[in-house]
Amino acid sequence: MVVKTDVLIIGGGPAGSYLARYLVRNGFNGDVMLIDKKSVIYAPVICGELLPSEDLLKPWINRDLYDVLLTTLRETLRKEFIVNEIGWLRLVINGRDIARMPFRTYVIDKSAMIRGIIEDAINGGANVRFGITAVKCATKNGGYECLVHDKDGGECVISAKTLIGADAYPSIVDLSLGITRGFRAEDLIIATSARARGRYVDDEAVIVMDPGVAPGGFAWIFPRGDGSHNIGVGVRNNIAWRGGNPIDYHALFVSKYGLESTQRSVLMKTLPVGGLLNKYGAGNAYLIGDAVGSVIPTNGAGINPAMITAHLLGESMMLGYDYSSLMNRLFKPLMDRMVMFRRIGDPLLMNRDAMELAVKVSRSYMTSSIYEATLSSMRMSTLIKFLIGDLLIKFISKLS
Ligand SMILES: Cc1cc2nc3c(=O)[nH]c(=O)nc-3n(C[C@H](O)[C@H](O)[C@H](O)COP(=O)(O)OP(=O)(O)OC[C@H]3O[C@@H](n4cnc5c(N)ncnc54)[C@H](O)[C@@H]3O)c2cc1C
């Protein structure tokens, strides 16, 4: 059986659901179909569920990009999706409290937020199907055909004029059509996600930089306001499996940082932190969200960045703009800068002694650099700080 649609979106996370909503709400002239392999809308959630408040990033990023970010927040983040308001960021390095800095953010119910976006999309006329997995896509007669399986073992072909990979990294659209070069192992994080209890303050998000428990990444504790916390560990892919596996690092984090798991299972997912891929699409096939590498490399935030890419593609499709040009103008400069910061910091993230020495040499310098990188700062002063930091880290690496 062949099902026909004008636009096929594969993946109903922040990127795909936002795009479906955007298109139907803005009067796209054609059928919009969204499929997702999950049988229940966006469950289980593998995420820290932390989102910035409207003002958090305003002083740090470019105005045009901030406007798009603000739009994505205002269109999707309803009050009822916020489970806790955070006021502070506590930075812990190698088990020691290093700093506490202002950080107005929210812990959200991501699943409820995605349901809200998808309901809007359905109400606007999108055809949304869950429990459908795209297995393979190919070009056909100037358009695309995707073979899909349903959860009951059935299969069919969906034919579309425009095809969107919103199915995270690596995207089946990318793999099938060979659009990009993909990421190298060192540009991927394996991240765990679970719930825990522990004596952490309700209005503080805690970031733990400790190469012993999170080599090449960091661990986090995001309080939900009811005594429970979203926790996880991000370990760089090229070392994640070397001396154990990410679940072992997660267990070490839980025991070392006074946490008590409230869930038996720990979930895991791959997160790209290498910046945007070398291409964002080919012909009328496009990649958005994690599928195009939109996660901010310095902090792992990917919910609103995914929506930003969906917004830019939606705008391109509605107004006849070129998606790649729009991405290159508005989003790529920030992503390139953040990859550079991440790469400069890598030697410290990988080596406990080097991290220790760096804090000893200049605690305030380290703290402000990490804080500004967490806020995705595009300021010249942050750039200079990182370039000087680069020299310092090279010097420290020689000593340690
Ligand atoms: C442990 C962890 C913690 C995180 N914490 C945060 C955080 O606190 N804040 C933040 O902003 N970001 C966070 N992120 C990043 C954020 O979750 C992602 O960047 C964001 O969800 C990306 O959205 P997306 O729509 O591109 O992809 P996803 O959210 O991954 O959605 C992709 C969808 O595609 C579907 N799919 C995949 N393959 C197929 C297929 N073949 N056929 C059909 N459907 C398919 C999946 O079922 C899924 O629903 C975290 C990520 C992880 C892994």
Side-chain angles (χ1 to χ4, degrees):
M1 186 177 73
V2 178
V3 177
K4 290 194 171 174
T5 183
D6 293 299
V7 177
L8 173 62
I9 302 170
I10 300 176
S17 61
Y18 186 94
L19 179 64
R21 179 187 183 278
Y22 184 99
L23 291 175
V24 297
R25 284 230 156 175
N26 288 286
F28 178 75
N29 185 16
D31 302 324
V32 176
M33 185 175 192
L34 182 152
I35 60 166
D36 195 292
K37 66 181 178 186
K38 291 187 164 93
S39 40
V40 180
I41 293 183
Y42 219 68
V45 169
I46 311 177
C47 192
E49 301 181 291
L50 193 81
L51 283 195
S53 62
E54 285 198 0
D55 292 334
L56 182 76
L57 305 179
K58 192 175 180 181
W60 304 94
I61 67 176
N62 294 346
R63 180 77 217 189
D64 289 349
L65 185 60
Y66 172 73
D67 287 345
V68 183
L69 168 71
L70 199 59
T71 306
T72 65
L73 278 170
R74 290 191 173 159
E75 285 185 351
T76 59
L77 184 58
R78 300 207 294 259
K79 232 180 174 171
E80 63 264 33
F81 304 149
I82 297 174
V83 300
N84 190 26
E85 296 196 15
I86 303 284
W88 301 93
L89 174 67
R90 184 141 72 93
L91 181 63
V92 176
I93 295 185
N94 288 345
R96 285 198 318 280
D97 258 347
I98 295 294
R100 188 176 187 259
M101 298 155 285
F103 195 58
R104 267 206 77 221
T105 45
Y106 305 118
V107 176
I108 59 154
D109 179 343
K110 186 179 179 187
S111 189
M113 186 175 80
I114 300 295
R115 270 200 309 277
I117 302 170
I118 283 181
E119 271 160 26
D120 284 352
I122 292 171
N123 292 337
N127 179 2
V128 177
R129 305 276 176 88
F130 271 72
I132 308 278
T133 305
V135 180
K136 202 165 85 183
C137 301
T139 49
K140 183 86 184 272
N141 302 331
Y144 303 90
E145 278 192 355
C146 292
L147 175 67
V148 303
H149 288 174
D150 67 34
K151 59 181 186 316
D152 304 317
E155 70 172 37
C156 82
V157 169
I158 304 176
S159 155
K161 292 178 191 153
T162 301
L163 178 62
I164 319 288
D167 48 344
Y169 182 81
S171 167
I172 194 71
V173 173
D174 194 3
L175 294 176
S176 301
L177 304 180
I179 298 172
T180 78
R181 285 198 296 265
F183 287 112
R184 294 172 307 173
E186 61 262 38
D187 286 330
L188 297 172
I189 287 271
I190 309 294
T192 64
S193 176
R195 293 261 170 93
R197 290 190 173 275
R199 270 189 278 131
Y200 288 88
V201 186
D202 268 353
D203 68 344
E204 274 181 7
V206 182
I207 293 289
V208 175
M209 293 185 148
D210 180 342
V213 300
F218 60 83
W220 62 89
I221 301 162
F222 297 156
R224 298 178 58 80
D226 61 357
S228 76
H229 317 304
N230 291 348
I231 66 159
V233 172
V235 182
R236 203 64 63 81
N237 187 55
N238 51 334
I239 31 179
W241 312 100
R242 209 183 280 159
N245 70 48
I247 300 290
D248 295 335
Y249 286 113
H250 185 95
L252 186 61
F253 171 53
V254 167
S255 66
K256 188 171 170 187
Y257 286 88
L259 293 158
E260 186 195 328
S261 297
T262 55
Q263 272 177 338
R264 278 176 69 90
S265 57
V266 176
L267 302 171
M268 271 195 295
K269 196 164 176 280
T270 300
L271 206 57
V273 290
L276 295 173
L277 282 163
N278 63 308
K279 285 176 82 180
Y280 319 141
N284 288 323
Y286 304 100
L287 303 171
I288 55 175
D290 282 14
V292 76
S294 60
V295 177
I296 307 294
T298 47
N299 60 28
I303 300 173
N304 287 104
M307 293 182 187
I308 287 172
T309 61
H311 185 97
L312 298 181
L313 178 58
E315 206 167 84
S316 310
M317 289 169 71
M318 293 303 302
L319 303 173
Y321 297 154
D322 179 53
Y323 175 52
S324 293
S325 308
L326 214 50
M327 287 276 280
N328 285 339
R329 184 165 66 79
L330 287 177
F331 197 33
K332 194 170 184 292
L334 178 130
M335 294 299 281
D336 286 351
R337 181 80 58 93
M338 294 309 125
V339 184
M340 184 177 101
F341 289 174
R342 196 221 79 205
R343 293 203 171 121
I344 288 175
D346 269 357
L348 300 187
L349 291 175
M350 304 279 185
N351 183 329
R352 197 172 194 281
D353 294 340
M355 178 74 94
E356 198 64 30
L357 199 55
V359 176
K360 264 197 198 124
V361 171
S362 181
R363 184 178 170 138
S364 65
Y365 202 85
M366 278 284 288
T367 309
S368 63
S369 302
I370 293 170
Y371 183 55
E372 289 170 32
T374 305
L375 296 171
S376 336
S377 169
M378 285 294 280
R379 288 183 184 172
M380 183 55 77
S381 55
T382 310
L383 178 63
I384 293 168
K385 205 174 273 181
F386 265 80
L387 292 176
I388 295 171
D390 189 26
L391 298 174
L392 196 67
I393 290 168
K394 281 182 181 134
F395 176 67
I396 284 169
S397 302
K398 281 204 181 105
L399 292 183
S400 65

